[in-house]
Amino acid sequence: MTRLLGCDFSSSPSNRKSIVMAWGTWRDQRVVIESLQACTSLAAFAQALQTPGPWVGGFDLPFGLPRELVTTLGWPDQWRNCIEYFASLGRPQIRETFKAFCDAREKGHKFAHRATDIPAGSSPSMKWVNPPVAYMLHAGVPLMLQAGLDFPGLCAGDKARVALEAYPGWLARQLIGSRSYKSDDKAKQTPERLIARKDILHALVGGHQGVRLYLRPAQHDDLVQDASGDKLDAVLCMVQAAVAQQCYVRGDQRYGLPDAMDPLEGWIIGV
């Protein structure tokens, strides 16, 4: 049986802010959460990636950089070569390079975007602050490559351990609109956001794109009470992986990724 994985990633994991990995499976035509794994270091994350398959994972971090950025900088335009080159740079060099790129562009068009960013409502994968998704790519994807994962449409690897780019914010908007449901700032951890998390779970249990989530009462309470939303985000990524895995079962070898996906930029599953 193919397991499911949802990963809420952090580029600088710690005991305070860990990488959360939600493991699950299909049971009685529902997605069941098996466990929530906290990785407090990148080494622990790398070790978790070696979990034997078969599993399909949705990871909340960008898998690629905008083609416009890569072309302008003269970086390798093949995905694996580009990732390996990017991994060789330090964060200060990344920030300086990307800042210079933005400074040379007109106001309102500072950042380059991937094709998937606009429909997904996701931050440009070259952003180095608020949120620092460029550093997430820099920290996470090279480790995933080293682990030998399979990246459909981007780079072949172990077919029993499949990595797909997920974005919990996109799925949350499909379920509750633009309402905010989380914050790391304790002053912003409001009753309204708690109610929004409850509504997300209610919608997931009710079914989304043919996928129904099963929750035990204790699991429901744990996800609702985590005001940071990290655990819920991991579960949202797991649900996205479940939808993609169902596409594969129905014969789509690309897990629902569009045929027109740019093989340098990648794509967020479900978008």
Side-chain angles (χ1 to χ4, degrees), residues 32-90:
V32 178
I33 301 172
E34 294 179 332
S35 63
L36 293 175
Q37 178 181 7
C39 299
T40 57
S41 67
L42 291 173
F45 171 70
Q47 184 175 3
L49 296 175
Q50 297 296 340
T51 301
W55 53 259
V56 175
F59 294 80
D60 180 20
L61 71 161
F63 281 11
L65 293 165
R67 180 173 290 276
E68 181 184 4
L69 172 72
V70 172
T71 300
T72 300
L73 296 177
W75 290 1
D77 63 358
Q78 297 298 309
W79 184 79
R80 181 172 192 132
N81 293 339
C82 184
I83 294 299
E84 290 176 343
Y85 177 77
F86 187 55
S88 73
L89 306 177

Side-chain angles (χ1 to χ4, degrees), residues 26 29-31 204 206-213 239 242-243 246 250:
W26 287 97
Q29 299 183 330
R30 292 184 293 183
V31 173
L204 292 176
H208 173 72
Q209 295 185 10
V211 173
R212 296 172 65 90
L213 179 67
V239 170
V243 174
Q246 286 296 92
R250 291 193 293 266

Side-chain angles (χ1 to χ4, degrees), residues 63 114 116 150-155 162-166 240 243-245 247-248 252-263 265-271:
F63 281 11
R114 297 181 298 161
T116 193
D150 185 58
F151 295 82
L154 297 175
C155 183
V162 176
L164 299 164
E165 182 179 342
Q240 287 180 269
V243 174
Q245 200 262 343
C247 290
Y248 182 84
D252 184 349
Q253 299 295 307
R254 291 169 62 87
Y255 292 86
L257 293 169
D259 292 336
M261 179 186 84
D262 188 319
E265 294 186 345
W267 195 267
I268 296 168
I269 50 174
V271 174

Side-chain angles (χ1 to χ4, degrees), residues 177-252:
S178 60
R179 295 158 57 197
S180 178
Y181 64 95
K182 62 179 182 177
S183 179
D184 286 329
D185 184 346
K186 289 189 180 298
K188 296 180 180 179
Q189 295 173 353
T190 61
E192 290 77 15
R193 287 185 169 90
L194 183 144
I195 292 170
R197 292 193 294 279
K198 288 183 177 181
D199 289 344
I200 288 173
L201 291 175
H202 178 76
L204 292 176
V205 170
H208 173 72
Q209 295 185 10
V211 173
R212 296 172 65 90
L213 179 67
Y214 170 79
L215 286 175
R216 296 193 303 272
Q219 291 175 327
H220 176 277
D221 293 347
D222 187 30
L223 295 173
V224 167
Q225 293 304 322
D226 176 22
S228 72
D230 294 345
K231 294 178 181 179
L232 179 54
D233 279 350
V235 170
L236 286 166
C237 289
M238 185 184 71
V239 170
Q240 287 180 269
V243 174
Q245 200 262 343
Q246 286 296 92
C247 290
Y248 182 84
V249 169
R250 291 193 293 266
D252 184 349

